[in-house]
């Protein structure tokens, strides 16, 4: 029974041994919980040993200057012939003295007489069918006649009136009222590029003639009769006023405008030509000045400089540079007029006009200096 009592709660001090032995645990934590590691790895004060070795040194990294880029651009960006030119300082004004003058403003119609559109279309087609004739070598007698002013006028089919010579190089004419546009041309060119071109002669060549307006009658459609004086390369449609078609220029007396291969309304130039006045038109051909050394492209097509001048009653009144910049919309260029073709004197008329034409320099009111 003692054994069962022991099982029910009475615990003996020992089981199967001496109760005098004592197995109490030693003081302190068990050996597995002893803090040997904490005592051995406690960090010393201050930063860990060797930490200063990895701090960056003051100033730029060593050798940084050795890797600065060179002052010149990379080879792949070196300038080549295909690259655009260097920047141009636009604040520096170039010398524009050798550039042609800017274009004058043109007009769509004339305030005076205007021919019909059908006549203009017919003339354009005619010019396409008959190109300008190449310059020719004049005979010695022909060239001598021109230099002496012994020049005739050729009467076209459209001209209604009379014309006669009164002295060498002096012609008098009269058209009837209602006469339609007609263009008188000189029998010989006043300018022969084969002999007169300044490229060959190295001297300036001047051509000139005068027209005296004695009286005006009445013209087409109530417009005041008038005339025009100018120059033409041939062939030229003689039912058109000079200056309206290719290879021609003229100053028109009804509106005072100048026409250069211009079938529209011309450009403002001078006042109208009145009865009783003597007017003249000349052209100076000289070697073209050397253009400035930059990429401005003046609208010139030859090495000959051409200046056109106009006189009234013996006084040089105005003029223009044939190679001025052109109006792309209205101007048709200066083909035939730039010293490459023979040039004939031209007098255009409409309505009733009494007039004289002077080729003889001794009869001119204006005299070259």
């Amino acid at each position: 029974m003692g054994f069962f009592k022991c099982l029910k709660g009475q615990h003996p001090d020992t089981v199967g041994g001496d109760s005098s032995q004592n197995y109490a645990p030693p003081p302190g934590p068990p050996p597995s919980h002893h803090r040997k590691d904490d005592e051995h790895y406690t960090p010393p004060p201050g930063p860990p040993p060797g930490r200063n070795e990895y701090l960056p040194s003051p100033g730029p990294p060593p050798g940084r200057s050795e890797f600065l880029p060179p002052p010149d651009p990379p080879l792949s960006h070196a300038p080549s012939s295909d690259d655009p030119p260097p920047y141009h300082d636009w604040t520096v004004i170039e010398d524009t003295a050798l550039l042609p003058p800017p274009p004058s403003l043109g007009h769509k119609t004339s305030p005076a007489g205007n021919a019909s559109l059908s006549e203009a279309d017919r003339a354009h087609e005619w010019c396409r069918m008959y190109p300008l004739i190449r310059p020719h070598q004049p005979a010695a007698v022909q060239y001598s006649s021109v230099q002496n002013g012994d020049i005739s006028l050729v009467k076209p089919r459209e001209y209604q009136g009379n014309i006669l010579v009164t002295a060498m190089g002096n012609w008098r004419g009269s058209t009837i009222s209602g006469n339609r546009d007609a263009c008188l041309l000189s029998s010989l060119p006043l300018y022969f590029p084969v002999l007169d071109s300044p490229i060959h002669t190295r001297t300036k060549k001047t051509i000139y003639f005068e027209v005296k307006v004695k009286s005006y009658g009445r013209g087409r459609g109530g417009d005041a009769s008038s005339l025009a004086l100018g120059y033409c390369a041939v062939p030229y449609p003689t039912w058109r006023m000079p200056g309206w078609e290719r290879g021609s220029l003229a100053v028109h007396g009804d509106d005072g405008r100048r026409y250069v291969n211009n079938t529209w309304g011309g450009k403002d130039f001078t006042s109208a030509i009145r009865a009783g006045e003597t007017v003249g038109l000349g052209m100076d051909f000289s070697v073209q000045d050397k253009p400035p050394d930059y990429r401005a492209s003046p609208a010139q097509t030859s090495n000959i400089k051409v200046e056109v001048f106009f006189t009234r009653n013996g006084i040089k009144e105005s003029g223009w540079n044939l190679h001025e910049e052109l109006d792309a919309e209205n101007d048709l260029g200066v083909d035939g007029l730039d010293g490459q073709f023979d040039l004939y004197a031209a007098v255009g008329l409409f309505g009733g006009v009494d007039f004289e034409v002077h080729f003889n320099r001794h009869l001119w009111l204006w005299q070259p200096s």
Side-chain angles (χ1 to χ4, degrees):
M1 292 297 291
F3 175 76
F4 293 107
K5 288 180 180 180
C6 178
L7 292 178
K8 291 176 65 176
Q10 292 183 5
H11 300 277
D13 294 335
T14 61
V15 177
D18 189 359
S19 59
S20 62
Q21 294 181 354
N22 188 359
Y23 292 97
S32 58
H33 291 78
H34 190 74
R35 300 185 62 181
K36 293 181 179 180
D37 294 339
D38 293 339
E39 295 175 356
H40 181 74
Y41 291 103
T42 300
R51 182 174 180 180
N52 292 334
E53 298 177 4
Y54 298 98
L55 290 177
S57 58
R64 182 175 179 180
S65 59
E66 299 176 3
F67 298 98
L68 292 177
D72 296 326
L75 295 178
S76 59
H77 290 75
S80 65
S81 58
D82 296 332
D83 289 337
Y87 170 75
H88 176 71
D89 187 0
W90 60 270
T91 62
V92 178
I93 300 176
E94 301 283 0
D95 181 10
T96 60
L98 299 179
L99 290 176
S104 301
L105 297 178
H107 299 275
K108 292 293 186 182
T109 60
S110 169
N114 291 281
S116 67
L117 182 60
S118 61
E119 290 179 341
D121 291 339
R122 183 163 67 98
H124 297 341
E125 181 61 27
W126 188 91
C127 289
R128 283 191 289 268
M129 294 175 58
Y130 301 100
L132 296 178
I133 298 175
R134 296 177 61 85
H136 69 282
Q137 174 79 39
V141 63
Q142 292 176 320
Y143 192 72
S144 177
S145 296
V146 172
Q147 305 313 305
N148 294 327
D150 188 7
I151 302 172
S152 303
L153 285 172
V154 178
K155 181 179 177 180
R157 181 177 57 184
E158 298 81 10
Y159 183 90
Q160 299 179 23
N162 59 69
I163 187 169
L164 54 93
V165 59
T166 59
M168 185 186 77
N170 185 65
W171 292 79
R172 179 179 299 167
S174 178
T175 56
I176 65 174
S177 179
N179 180 64
R180 299 181 66 83
D181 295 341
C183 184
L184 294 168
L185 294 176
S186 59
S187 57
L188 291 170
L190 273 64
Y191 174 82
F192 296 93
V194 174
L195 298 179
D196 296 328
S197 172
I199 301 298
H200 306 309
T201 65
R202 312 307 296 178
T203 59
K204 183 174 75 172
K205 173 65 179 180
T206 299
I207 60 176
Y208 178 79
F209 72 100
E210 290 184 348
V211 175
K212 181 177 182 180
V213 181
K214 303 185 70 175
S215 67
Y216 286 129
R218 298 302 299 173
R220 59 166 187 258
D223 291 337
S225 302
S226 191
L227 58 74
L229 66 162
Y231 294 93
C232 294
V234 295
Y236 191 80
T238 54
W239 69 90
R240 297 283 283 170
M241 298 289 278
W244 282 353
E245 302 300 331
R246 62 95 206 267
S248 69
L249 63 83
V251 175
H252 287 209
D254 54 354
D255 56 17
R257 293 177 179 174
R258 56 182 174 93
Y259 294 75
V260 180
N261 295 353
N262 187 315
T263 193
W264 302 99
K267 297 181 180 180
D268 294 332
F269 180 62
T270 187
S271 59
I273 300 173
R274 297 180 294 272
E277 292 183 328
T278 298
V279 291
L281 193 68
M283 299 179 70
D284 288 329
F285 301 86
S286 59
V287 177
Q288 183 69 258
D289 296 327
K290 184 179 180 181
D293 189 19
Y294 51 87
R295 292 186 178 181
S297 56
Q300 62 190 49
T301 58
S302 76
N303 293 323
I304 299 177
K305 179 180 179 180
V306 183
E307 296 282 346
V308 186
F309 63 93
F310 174 79
T311 68
R312 191 189 299 263
N313 297 326
I315 299 174
K316 186 179 289 188
E317 186 177 274
S318 187
W320 74 91
N321 184 333
L322 183 69
H323 291 112
E324 68 182 6
E325 293 186 17
L326 302 179
D327 184 337
E329 182 177 354
N330 296 325
D331 293 325
L332 302 179
V334 295
D335 293 343
L337 300 169
D338 55 357
Q340 309 299 319
F341 288 86
D342 296 339
L343 289 178
Y344 293 72
V347 179
L349 305 113
F350 66 87
V353 185
D354 294 329
F355 63 95
E356 292 182 0
V357 180
H358 303 150
F359 295 113
N360 190 334
R361 67 175 60 246
H362 300 294
L363 302 175
W364 295 344
L365 295 185
W366 173 81
Q367 292 295 324
S369 56

